[in-house]
Amino acid sequence: MNTIRPIGIIGYGKYVPERILTNADMEKMVETNDEWIVSRTGIRERHIAAPEQATSDLAYEAAVQALKTAGMSAEDLELIIVATITPDTFFPSTACILQDKLGAKKAAAFDLSAACSGFVYGMATANGMLQTGMYNNALVIGADALSRITDYTDRNTCVLFGDGAGAVVLGEVSPGRGFLSFDLGAEGSGGSLLKLEAGGSRLPASEETIQDKKHYIYMNGREVFKFAVRVMGTATEEVLRKAGKGKEDIDLLVPHQANIRIIQSAMQRLDLPEEKCVINVDKYANTSAASIPLALVEAAEEGRMKEGDTILLVGFGGGLTWGASVLVW
């Protein structure tokens, strides 16, 4: 075990598009109202990518910031992982498009698809590669432009999603710091509860798939909510066990920002006061893979984490998937 290098976050950055879609705006689009949205989800507004912006553009802005705080140049990057379910194209990967935009000529690059859990999956993947010495550093980004796959005539889903990107640079840190544990999982039997049905090899794009709106997010909200509450709790307990930590050791909880009620249930299970939890779902809504890094970076920028703090990241998403991590800042 002595040969395994401690890996942690050495740089971070985030980006959200300029355009803001408020609940008041949503009221003009579908039959809904601010009070209903806020009481059930905690969401007040969401950021929407401009027509000319793709996921790689959001990722690029976050990546530039992350490299700057890490004190690194793109030429030094050895690995790029982009977690996304809204890639610019099926191929080339968004990570390869980003590699070219950054000028990171030495970096291997690939996309990772685990929906809202994707960022934690990406960090776990990069951590394993860095620990063994395969690479010395990695840029891990969660980026999604969910507005591109949201049906703005569906009142049940259109209020829930937004666009954004969050990025971290991983590298070797001092002993006792960095990632202590990961817990990743999947429940593929629940895949039909949250999906984008068409556009792949099973249902290629056709006149019929477009008419049937199969290129938009479908979600069984009630069942996904129950899954989320369950796995946020079990994943948290398991990742703490693996890290040799208890609930009382958590200095800051950074949960996936999908719904305020799911976040509150996680806080109750961990006996955590609100000041020990990052909550920004009101500003950004659910940004899928960007959700956890947006919350993490915002907390870092606000000075909510000091050196030596124990941070717990936990999320769930389509697949169905979940991911959690414990790290020492």
Side-chain angles (χ1 to χ4, degrees):
M1 291 296 287
N2 293 335
T3 59
I4 294 181
R5 303 186 295 175
I7 303 300
I9 294 170
I10 60 173
Y12 50 82
K14 73 179 196 312
Y15 174 77
V16 289
E18 287 182 22
R19 184 188 168 200
I20 293 174
L21 195 64
T22 66
N23 287 350
D25 295 324
M26 300 301 304
E27 289 175 4
K28 299 169 188 171
M29 298 165 67
V30 289
E31 187 185 336
T32 191
N33 62 73
D34 177 70
E35 191 277 330
W36 187 91
I37 298 170
V38 173
S39 64
R40 283 164 175 77
T41 69
I43 299 166
R44 298 183 183 276
E45 57 188 35
R46 64 289 290 151
H47 289 251
I48 304 296
E52 69 276 8
Q53 284 182 309
T55 296
S56 67
D57 299 311
L58 311 183
Y60 173 82
E61 299 295 339
V64 169
Q65 267 194 37
L67 287 168
K68 186 178 179 181
T69 58
M72 277 177 60
S73 69
E75 290 82 5
D76 297 326
L77 272 178
E78 298 181 10
L79 174 66
I80 299 172
I81 300 175
V82 176
T84 186
I85 53 168
T86 55
D88 289 24
T89 56
F90 276 176
F91 63 93
S93 69
T94 302
C96 281
I97 295 169
L98 177 64
Q99 184 230 35
D100 180 51
K101 286 184 179 181
L102 288 171
K105 290 180 167 51
K106 289 195 302 186
F110 65 91
D111 286 358
L112 187 153
S113 178
C116 310
S117 311
F119 179 72
V120 178
Y121 266 69
M123 289 198 302
T125 302
N127 176 66
M129 290 177 165
L130 268 59
Q131 276 189 338
T132 62
M134 183 176 178
Y135 298 107
N136 292 305
N137 60 62
L139 174 66
V140 180
I141 301 177
D144 270 304
L146 293 182
S147 62
R148 299 294 194 264
I149 56 171
T150 296
D151 179 2
Y152 286 98
T153 65
D154 179 2
R155 66 189 295 269
N156 293 315
T157 59
C158 71
V159 301
L160 302 175
F161 303 112
D163 304 337
V168 294
V169 177
L170 303 188
E172 187 168 357
V173 293
S174 56
R177 299 282 197 269
F179 297 107
L180 301 185
S181 63
F182 285 95
D183 182 59
L184 308 178
E187 199 169 290
S189 59
S192 62
L193 300 176
L194 179 54
K195 62 185 178 180
L196 185 72
E197 197 166 358
S201 60
R202 177 70 64 191
L203 273 184
S206 67
E207 190 175 333
E208 185 181 358
T209 63
I210 293 168
Q211 286 175 348
D212 292 344
K213 296 188 173 185
K214 292 186 183 296
H215 296 270
Y216 292 126
I217 298 169
Y218 165 80
M219 181 172 69
N220 181 326
R222 188 184 300 272
E223 291 304 314
V224 171
F225 184 92
K226 289 195 287 189
F227 166 79
V229 169
R230 172 169 58 85
V231 301
M232 289 276 276
T234 54
T236 294
E237 289 167 358
E238 179 62 13
V239 81
L240 283 170
R241 184 193 66 77
K242 288 179 178 178
K245 299 277 186 180
K247 295 187 289 187
E248 66 282 357
D249 296 315
I250 301 170
D251 293 302
L252 195 67
L253 172 68
V254 185
H256 171 43
Q257 308 286 314
N259 184 304
I260 189 65
R261 293 186 295 167
I262 296 170
I263 295 171
Q264 287 168 341
S265 74
M267 286 164 53
Q268 288 169 2
R269 188 157 180 164
L270 292 167
D271 300 319
L272 279 184
E274 193 166 306
E275 59 267 22
K276 284 195 171 188
C277 182
V278 183
I279 301 173
N280 62 12
V281 67
D282 55 315
K283 293 190 292 185
Y284 304 125
N286 182 347
T287 55
S288 191
S291 169
I292 289 176
L294 273 176
L296 178 70
V297 175
E298 193 159 86
E301 291 175 344
E302 292 171 357
R304 294 185 64 181
M305 298 179 286
K306 63 182 186 296
E307 196 171 326
D309 277 358
T310 298
I311 315 298
L312 193 149
L313 315 173
V314 61
F316 63 92
L320 297 166
T321 59
W322 65 87
S325 178
V326 174
L327 74 142
V328 176
W329 193 252

